[in-house]
Amino acid sequence: MSVIHLALALVANCAWGFNFIAGKIGTLTFQPLFFTSIRFFFLLLIMLPWLRPAPGHMKPLLKVAFLLGVIHFSMMFIGLNAGGNIASVAITTQLYVPFSAILAAIFLKESFSAIRVVAIFIAFIGILVIGFDPIVFSHLDAVLWVMGAAFAMAVATIMMRQFPNMGVFKLQAWIAAIAAPSLLLLSLIFESGQLQTLADLEIIQLWSPLYSAIGASVLGHGIVYYLLGRYPVSIVTPLLLLAPVLASIFGIWWFGDEIGWKLIVGGTITLLGILLVSVNVDRLMSRLKTRI
């Protein structure tokens, strides 16, 4: 990978890592569902030129849009709002990788090597270690919300593999179109005080949902889509594991998060397991054997 493309991967990681900061601030300002709805209204305005029908694939597209926009993002931001620190949430979101591998083996009949089984086991062991960190333990509901978000994303990932690739911006447009009104309705049902929040709002406070829409969805996903068009998934995906690390650093810098040793050890174990799931370890091992 060229230096320029490595720099782009770093930008994507920073964009996604800082999205956890914007999300935390935004959910505290607006409430989780209302914040997520505003985020998607901004994204919809940006993505309107790509909001075009996908003949023959609208039904699965709408299902994926609902899973990602309404289920995944609402659960993630609810968990982020409830979490005691950024690191535990950011690391737990990465569980979508082993969840996707498990679902692919079950529903797509993909090969499931012993190495991948061990890697998935390692990833979940790391989450268990994280759960025993005192700060995380007092906010276990946050971890459960984020695990649910990761599972929803894994289901959507499997569904997306069953219809043609229609481009990241078109997908983002439909996610925003479904999520924005749906989440606003859910916010009106389960939350309160939205009108008062808007009445007291200072324009500068809109930076958090605006950043989340542009920084994470447009910039972050746009860069990753660009890189995936030029390099194999097994090369690009491991580079993205820097995002939760950067999110943890941003959390310490912005909120003064305390990072205990259990969180460090558990996070390292989880990210190691996810790295092993992401890369084609079997092919790498076979190459090493042939060279030896």
Side-chain angles (χ1 to χ4, degrees):
M1 184 176 285
S2 69
V3 174
I4 293 176
H5 289 161
L6 283 172
L8 285 175
L10 179 60
V11 171
N13 277 292
C14 288
W16 282 347
F18 196 74
N19 186 47
F20 288 95
I21 303 299
K24 181 74 170 182
I25 293 172
T27 58
L28 294 173
T29 303
F30 297 97
Q31 302 179 85
L33 295 176
F34 193 38
F35 165 79
T36 316
S37 175
I38 296 171
R39 173 203 195 278
F40 278 116
F41 274 115
F42 279 135
L43 184 60
L44 180 59
L45 290 174
I46 298 168
M47 293 295 170
L48 273 177
W50 288 273
L51 190 64
R52 300 171 185 172
H57 301 287
M58 283 306 299
K59 188 174 181 180
L61 174 59
L62 294 177
K63 288 180 180 179
V64 167
F66 182 82
L67 269 172
L68 286 176
V70 180
I71 305 299
H72 166 73
F73 276 97
S74 65
M75 295 182 79
M76 187 182 78
F77 284 120
I78 289 172
L80 190 57
N81 177 259
N85 56 36
I86 299 294
S88 59
V89 172
I91 293 168
T92 304
T93 58
Q94 301 301 307
L95 286 181
Y96 83 89
V97 175
F99 279 143
S100 298
I102 294 170
L103 292 175
I106 295 173
F107 295 103
L108 302 182
K109 308 303 180 184
E110 291 190 358
S111 59
F112 212 63
S113 67
I115 294 177
R116 296 196 97 189
V117 172
V118 172
I120 290 170
F121 182 73
I122 289 172
F124 284 106
I125 286 294
I127 293 297
L128 288 176
V129 175
I130 289 174
F132 284 104
D133 183 274
I135 296 175
V136 179
F137 189 77
S138 60
H139 298 86
L140 281 180
D141 56 328
V143 174
L144 293 176
W145 278 111
V146 177
M147 286 183 70
F151 185 78
M153 187 173 183
V155 174
T157 300
I158 299 302
M159 293 176 66
M160 281 190 288
R161 293 170 64 177
Q162 297 175 316
F163 61 83
N165 188 351
M166 56 190 63
V168 65
F169 289 153
K170 189 172 185 178
L171 179 61
Q172 293 282 3
W174 279 104
I175 291 173
I178 297 299
S182 300
L183 288 164
L184 179 58
L185 177 60
L186 289 173
S187 175
L188 293 173
I189 293 172
F190 294 106
E191 298 173 341
S192 61
Q194 292 87 347
L195 291 178
Q196 188 61 47
T197 298
L198 293 177
D200 298 337
L201 188 69
E202 297 180 8
I203 294 298
I204 190 64
Q205 291 177 301
L206 288 172
W207 79 267
S208 57
L210 188 60
Y211 174 85
S212 187
I214 297 175
S217 291
V218 180
L219 182 62
H221 284 96
I223 289 174
V224 171
Y225 182 73
Y226 172 82
L227 293 176
L228 287 173
R230 287 154 179 80
Y231 300 97
V233 175
S234 60
I235 291 178
V236 176
T237 303
L239 296 177
L240 304 181
L241 290 177
L242 183 60
V245 177
L246 290 173
S248 304
I249 295 171
F250 292 150
I252 296 170
W253 167 57
W254 196 284
F255 296 113
D257 284 353
E258 296 181 11
I259 307 296
W261 70 267
K262 292 177 182 177
L263 183 55
I264 294 173
V265 172
T268 302
I269 293 171
T270 297
L271 294 179
L272 175 61
I274 291 168
L275 175 63
L276 293 174
V277 175
S278 301
V279 300
N280 197 330
V281 181
D282 298 321
R283 183 178 297 176
L284 179 63
M285 292 297 290
S286 63
R287 286 180 181 177
L288 288 174
K289 289 179 181 178
T290 56
R291 289 179 182 179
I292 293 174

